[in-house]
Amino acid sequence: MSDTPSSYEVRVAASMQALSDSAFFRLGDHSISPLSGVRTDTGSAAREMSRMSGFPLDGVDRLFLGADEIHAIWRSVEGPLIVGEFCLVHLHKSFTGDEFPPDDPTLPASDYSKLGALKVIDSEPHSGSGSVTGMYMTESAQHEIWFYDAGLHRLERLDLDYLAYLDAVLVTKGTCGWQYLFADVDLNTTELHTTAADLNVMLEKFPEQFPEYDYEPLRQRLEARL
């Protein structure tokens, strides 16, 4: 993401406004919560994250949001029903606060262990889906982004880093299941049929609703997974 973190809030606010202005959507609860506590001091926040996580998080402050939390939920009101939600939290809160990943003992052992180690960066709290996206720190202190689909009991690594994930939220507006466009999956399966259909609606409707974004890369990702 080429923008500085402080400009991200400007962009996401504009994205929320575009959802509100469009006759195709009904924007529900939405908010951008201001920074509070130690998160107002990026240096102190980064040091506390490193100390509590046990990872040398050099340069992590460049990934910080300029808000404690950014949340929006919406649904379409014209044509096929699709819904979306995102709830992005400051990384300091992810690493040191009360953002805990869900528990799912039905997962294979390796995935279950990874799910428990995720630092939650995005969730769907109002929809009640239980799905989350999290950051996983490898032994070499590199980060990976993983998506947990609670309804389907799936954990998938995404072909995105953290800043690219933030950009993708702006483009997709948090359409439910958008993360599968960046996972190594076959969407032409029975359990992912509804997700694929929703993503197809998104890619049919969004280009005319939000012409400032290029949706062709996402269309290509969808086609590659069908």
Side-chain angles (χ1 to χ4, degrees), residues 48-187:
E48 185 174 14
M49 286 171 61
S50 293
R51 177 177 58 81
M52 293 186 66
S53 68
F55 289 101
L57 301 175
D58 298 334
V60 71
D61 55 315
R62 75 181 183 88
L63 306 180
F64 286 168
L65 293 172
D68 265 12
E69 182 177 288
I70 302 173
H71 175 258
I73 186 169
W74 57 265
R75 68 180 184 89
S76 62
V77 295
E78 295 183 5
L81 175 65
I82 56 173
V83 299
E85 183 176 19
F86 57 87
C87 186
L88 306 169
V89 296
H90 194 285
L91 284 180
H92 178 269
K93 188 175 181 180
S94 302
F95 275 71
T96 67
D98 298 326
E99 297 296 318
F100 297 109
D103 184 63
D104 187 350
T106 70
L107 293 175
S110 60
D111 284 351
Y112 182 67
S113 176
K114 188 170 273 89
L115 178 64
L118 289 185
K119 310 298 184 183
V120 175
I121 61 171
D122 188 14
S123 62
E124 300 171 5
H126 287 206
S127 71
S129 72
S131 298
V132 302
T133 303
M135 182 181 291
Y136 177 75
M137 301 301 299
T138 68
E139 292 182 358
S140 59
Q142 301 300 309
H143 81 264
E144 301 170 352
I145 304 299
W146 289 76
F147 171 62
Y148 169 66
D149 185 330
L152 297 179
H153 302 279
R154 297 178 64 129
L155 184 67
E156 304 287 348
R157 183 179 177 182
L158 305 186
D159 182 25
L160 291 168
D161 63 15
Y162 177 68
L163 293 181
Y165 186 91
L166 295 184
D167 268 342
V169 169
L170 292 176
V171 179
T172 65
K173 308 294 188 282
T175 298
C176 289
W178 73 263
Q179 293 91 341
Y180 281 113
L181 294 173
F182 294 88
D184 183 15
V185 297
D186 178 6
L187 289 173

Side-chain angles (χ1 to χ4, degrees), residues 4-18:
T4 61
S6 61
S7 73
Y8 186 78
E9 287 65 53
V10 175
R11 296 170 65 204
V12 79
S15 186
M16 291 178 183
Q17 188 62 51

Side-chain angles (χ1 to χ4, degrees), residues 15-22 25-30 71-75 77:
S15 186
M16 291 178 183
Q17 188 62 51
L19 281 165
S20 180
D21 291 343
S22 172
F25 302 98
R26 178 170 296 153
L27 178 62
D29 289 342
H30 58 288
H71 175 258
I73 186 169
W74 57 265
R75 68 180 184 89
V77 295

Side-chain angles (χ1 to χ4, degrees), residues 30-45:
H30 58 288
S31 61
I32 300 177
S33 303
L35 290 173
S36 62
V38 71
R39 289 182 283 279
T40 60
D41 180 343
T42 57
S44 295

